[in-house]
Amino acid sequence: MNLLQQLNVSQQDAVQATTGPVMVVAGAGSGKTRVLTYRIAYLLQLGIPPARILALTFTNKAANEMKERINSLVQTPKAIPWMGTFHSIFARILRQEAQVLGYDRSYSIYDTDDALSLVRTIMNDLNISQQQFHPKAILNTISSAKNKLLTPDQLKKEARSIFDEKTAAVYSEYINRLQQNNAMDFDDLIVKPIILFQKYPDVLEKWQSYFEYILVDEYQDTNHAQYRLLNLLAKKRKNICVVGDDAQSIYAFRGADIRNILDFERDYPDCRIFRLEQNYRSTRLILRAADSVIKNNHQRIPKTLWTDNREGEPLQILGCINEHEEGARVARLIQDELQRSKRDFNHFVILYRTNAQSRSIEDGLRKAGIPYTIVGGVEFYKRKEIKDVIAYLRVIVNPVDDESLIRIVNFPPRGIGNTTIQRLRTIARDTQITLFDALKQIDEIPRVNRKARRGIQELISLIQKYRNLYEKEQMSASELARSFIEETGILTLFKQEALPESIARWENVQELLSAITEYCQENPGKNLADFLETVSLIADVDKWNDSRNSVTLMTFHSAKGLEFPVVIMVGMEDGLFPLYNGNPENDELEEERRLCYVGMTRAKEKLFMTYTRFRYRFGEGYYPTPSRFLDEIEPELFIHQKQPATAGWNNGAATDEKRRAFLGASSVDQIKNKRKKSQRPESHFSYEDESQVVPQLHTGSLVEHEEFGRGKVLSLSGRGDLMKAVVMFDSAGKKSLMLKFARLKIL
């Protein structure tokens, strides 16, 4: 089979450039995954051993799709053992090299919740107030430091505040505790290989020689640590091919550095660059609209996307009164599309900037009886009962994992109180032994009541029994897990409670055990440690089932790499999308614009955008301005559907005087003049129907204050958190109040 016949000329050139550094700049919908897949198949046809090819992706979903395509292209299917996400591939390498770094091969992988629990424990031990310094903020700072390859000492030297100093102290202990627990967090899966390769040149040489070809998907999303790791591995052979699109670099918040792709030529002066500019996904109008937005960015690699697809229908931009009406209109347009175009529910995706926006959209869909699936809701593997079972299984594989052991030591209840647990932790720390070893010495520890002592003895006996079975490989992973969990009493506990939520938990645990069985059947020879590693690295989008006939709801970030016939982008308002506080910096605004471009280019046939005239955020009402990104779309590419005016004000019949009488002068002037205050060009979108967006409170409203009593609103001014009301109270006289704090009751 001639692989190249199925590619266009640009794709063929990129596939055949097998030696030396190569960068493929792949515009949205231009066949990026296709080029990577065919390039690997082409290398296999040239006789390159599959084990010598390293292909790195950002999602398991992308890796699995590529594996399936390669096996269909290569007539004699060959395994591609080194294809997967950065984290999964380097976790695999670390399994082989962990002992060099002082770890056991059975190390645990901590997810964000596990890492946060450890940070909280350390803060308690160091007497750092969790009210004054938020544990999540400290963990995020530690993660950022790791991705920048900063040590605790370096972080301490760069400290500019007490928070930075406290974080550096937690960071130092955090590293120690992870090592003691034989555990790594997600960042370690990238950072530890760098330490390994820099400290042990012979190990680096081994892996440099092993991988003849390196391919990287979504190169624009790499952070500094990933960039450094790739440079180390590719330094010897320089057979590195990166594929990406600078216009889709949207992960700066988690450390992604767009300079990695913009500066690829600087890093590899002899590189060859190929541009994929033919779009196979979207209509011409959608493509033109997306291009009219992204061209406003200054940091970009020049390219011109084009398509042979049909012209398509203009974009539709819907102006809504508020988020409730937004949800209702989204539901109506889905119903209209279902009838008009004979679509299925799974043809639609609704994209939003923040997860909180889904509530009003869900309300609208539920009322209309439209089925939907949320990507990024409560994840299966983060439910309490699942994390409890996972913790049990981790202790079997890695008994020195103190965080997992603490989680399960008194679940189900064994009469072991917090005082006993803290005493055992203190003994373990003071004597420099693991918590598991301290538990084994329970008979020698004073002041432990009989029930707690017996509970600990039974737990240790159970763990040692199954630890022994695991090490001797006398049972399959699925058999061991099912037998072990049944013997813990968790399933019996849920049955005895007999509550609806307990039954749901019982079903979830059974589902987990089924997942282990399925994993063992699909991966012969893999053990429990392999399963635990796999589930630790699962992302939301990996679990999304696109065959389910329901509307999909997700954030813009989750949508990258996907495509849908119909895309609905909601909440297109300044301050929400682009999301910022105050005036955005150029880099921040450009990233938001790239995120908008990603959303627009998910659409194959139709694209809808909505904005509201009034919205509640963080419990406060405000009047948003339609997104500047809407203004950047060429006017001839869209239809603007305004919300009909209220009765009596149709066709511009209302005068400013009438509106002032109804709304209050300050409210009307505030809305009419807000664009003059904004540093933006004149907008396509007017506020002719602002009467409908004003909430219940207006000039003339009768209100009651808990301290000043009854009063009448004389005027309103300001926006959002700065919105003020001047109120004449019956007993207290005239007062100027910040509405955010006034807690006025409207009478």
Side-chain angles (χ1 to χ4, degrees), residues 87-104:
H87 293 89
S88 65
I89 289 296
F90 288 102
R92 185 176 170 185
I93 290 175
L94 285 169
R95 292 286 177 203
Q96 298 187 33
E97 307 289 355
Q99 290 177 324
V100 179
L101 293 172
Y103 282 82
D104 187 272

Side-chain angles (χ1 to χ4, degrees), residues 710-728:
R710 290 170 58 91
K712 183 177 181 179
V713 176
L714 300 181
S715 65
L716 295 165
S717 62
R719 296 174 60 191
D721 290 350
L722 300 179
M723 195 170 184
K724 295 181 180 179
V726 176
V727 183
M728 177 62 76

Side-chain angles (χ1 to χ4, degrees), residues 64-124:
N64 292 333
E65 287 177 357
M66 287 172 62
K67 288 176 184 177
E68 290 176 5
R69 291 192 198 182
I70 291 167
N71 283 333
S72 67
L73 290 174
V74 182
Q75 292 181 348
T76 303
K78 299 179 181 180
I80 310 294
W82 293 100
M83 174 179 284
T85 65
F86 274 87
H87 293 89
S88 65
I89 289 296
F90 288 102
R92 185 176 170 185
I93 290 175
L94 285 169
R95 292 286 177 203
Q96 298 187 33
E97 307 289 355
Q99 290 177 324
V100 179
L101 293 172
Y103 282 82
D104 187 272
R105 291 185 61 177
S106 61
Y107 65 83
S108 300
I109 299 175
Y110 282 5
D111 64 15
T112 305
D113 290 342
D114 302 320
L116 185 60
S117 175
L118 181 56
V119 165
R120 287 193 171 112
T121 299
I122 293 169
M123 291 178 71
N124 287 335

Side-chain angles (χ1 to χ4, degrees), residues 17 176 188-189 252 311 330 461 506 550 552 580 583 588 672:
N176 294 335
D188 284 333
L189 299 179
E311 188 78 0
V330 165
S461 176
W506 182 88
S550 61
T552 300
Y580 61 87
N583 291 321
E588 182 182 335
K672 289 175 70 68

